[in-house]
Amino acid sequence: MGTEFHLRAGAAAAGPYAVDIDPERAGWGYSSLRVLDLPPGGHHSFATGDSEWIVLPLSGGCTVRTDGGEVFELTGREDVFSGVTDFAYVPRDAHVQITSGAGGRFALTGARCAHRLPARYGAASDVPVELRGSGSCSRQVNNFGAAGSFACDKLIAVEVLTPGGNWSSYPPHKHDECRPGEESELEEIYYFEIEAAHGTDGVGYQRVSPSGRGRGTDVLAEVRSGDAVLIPDGWHGPSIAAPGHAMYYLNVMAGPGETREWLICDHPDHGWIRGTWPEQPVDPRLPLYGAPAAEATAASPGPGAAGSQEAAGPPETAGPPAAPGLPEAPVGDAR
């Protein structure tokens, strides 16, 4: 079911990328994702074109250089299950080089956009780490590129970690139409990595059901590390982690709205589950990790580069993320 929307590991590979999903490949207008594997001493250059990008280490660290003279040293991490990472934002209409002395795996989350913001470094210590849901719906969200957390023109990107046996992206929700103040229109990519256990690769499950809009997206997929799911429309969720195997997914979103915001609508048959969460404790396995303590910046901005979110553009209009450790995010948040 939904094979055109479920891209198994390797199915979206192209050139140097293990995953290469652009608007043309997805059949939509804005969201992109690339996953780049670099060997020790490896390097890769690309033109950002009409899109803004965040370079996000999935494993390993790297150096990001732009043709504007900015240099960002990303410490990175061992893997997505071991810690929050720093990252680099690079604007549209730029040339970028990524180099890695020890090698690694790097996600490039992108969105077509109109405005060119300054290149910037995002410190791991500044990433809001949030707990959502409770009981078997508990999950952790790393809001590195969320609206309200880091300034972009169109791009919204977050990481979600779900302990084995839990459900996330639940209750099912959608964001496939523009309803000011209630719902924003956003295309979305889910990219998965599943934690191995006892020498066995893990699996998870992803559901997307038609909302009556757009392409009638209908997916019931067994997902493994390296898989991606495209969500142009529809109710998405749950994302289910098999017992014993934690699930990671990277969400990349963008859309046509003038305001960069993430407003969602719960599925009317399942939204009631939120009312049960205050009665249950948050899964004690969470957080899997928190953001590290603040350190000296690893960015070396070139002439004219902005060193802070405030310098990058106007304040976000979406509300701030929930404080770390709270069991539930603001109303409407189902990630």
Side-chain angles (χ1 to χ4, degrees):
M1 181 186 293
T3 55
E4 66 178 301
F5 302 108
H6 175 208
L7 305 176
R8 298 186 185 276
Y17 302 116
V19 175
D20 187 5
I21 300 168
D22 61 13
E24 287 72 26
R25 170 66 178 83
W28 55 37
Y30 297 91
S31 299
S32 295
L33 173 67
R34 298 170 178 168
V35 176
L36 174 69
D37 289 311
L38 287 180
H43 60 87
H44 174 67
S45 298
F46 70 101
T48 60
D50 61 0
S51 296
E52 59 187 346
W53 299 85
I54 286 178
V55 180
L56 181 80
L58 300 175
S59 63
C62 66
T63 301
V64 178
R65 294 180 172 86
T66 75
D67 57 352
E70 299 93 352
V71 181
F72 306 108
E73 298 288 349
L74 304 187
T75 301
R77 53 189 166 183
E78 181 179 351
D79 58 46
V80 297
F81 299 103
S82 64
V84 176
T85 185
D86 50 359
F87 59 92
Y89 172 92
V90 293
R92 59 167 292 160
D93 302 319
H95 284 82
V96 178
Q97 182 185 64
I98 303 172
T99 59
S100 181
R105 188 171 179 87
F106 308 97
L108 282 62
T109 64
R112 281 181 174 158
C113 64
H115 300 102
R116 192 175 194 271
L117 305 186
R120 279 160 292 134
Y121 173 78
S125 58
D126 290 338
V127 173
V129 175
E130 173 190 341
L131 303 186
R132 298 183 186 168
S134 65
S136 61
C137 291
S138 301
R139 59 271 202 182
Q140 172 178 336
V141 184
N142 300 336
N143 287 297
F144 72 94
S149 296
F150 189 83
C152 299
D153 186 28
K154 289 287 188 183
L155 177 64
I156 298 173
V158 301
E159 301 179 303
V160 181
L161 294 125
T162 308
N166 284 10
W167 287 24
S168 58
S169 282
Y170 197 77
H173 58 283
K174 75 180 185 75
H175 40 70
D176 57 13
E177 59 183 312
C178 179
R179 296 186 296 135
E182 296 183 30
E183 185 178 349
S184 47
E185 183 181 350
L186 296 167
E187 312 151 351
E188 185 162 18
I189 303 168
Y190 275 51
Y191 167 77
F192 295 89
E193 294 198 2
I194 311 296
E195 189 173 37
H198 300 281
T200 302
D201 293 335
V203 300
Y205 296 88
Q206 177 67 43
R207 181 73 172 114
V208 186
S209 55
S211 65
R213 296 185 57 81
R215 294 153 66 176
T217 308
D218 195 349
V219 178
L220 177 56
E222 181 176 280
V223 293
R224 299 174 182 269
S225 290
D227 286 12
V229 172
L230 307 179
I231 305 175
D233 49 64
W235 305 102
H236 39 292
S239 303
I240 305 171
H245 298 275
M247 169 189 281
Y248 164 95
Y249 53 87
L250 173 62
N251 291 136
V252 184
M253 292 167 277
E258 293 185 8
T259 301
R260 177 178 172 246
E261 57 186 350
W262 186 59
L263 300 176
I264 67 168
C265 175
D266 283 346
H267 194 297
D269 292 344
H270 304 288
W272 62 267
I273 195 70
R274 292 185 186 279
T276 70
W277 289 348
E279 305 166 5
Q280 305 174 66
V282 175
D283 191 315
R285 294 173 290 179
L286 292 174
L288 297 186
Y289 48 74
E295 299 175 351
T297 180
S300 302
S308 69
Q309 176 177 338
E310 288 73 19
E316 299 293 348
T317 56
L326 291 182
E328 175 57 359
V331 173
D333 214 336
R335 189 63 53 216

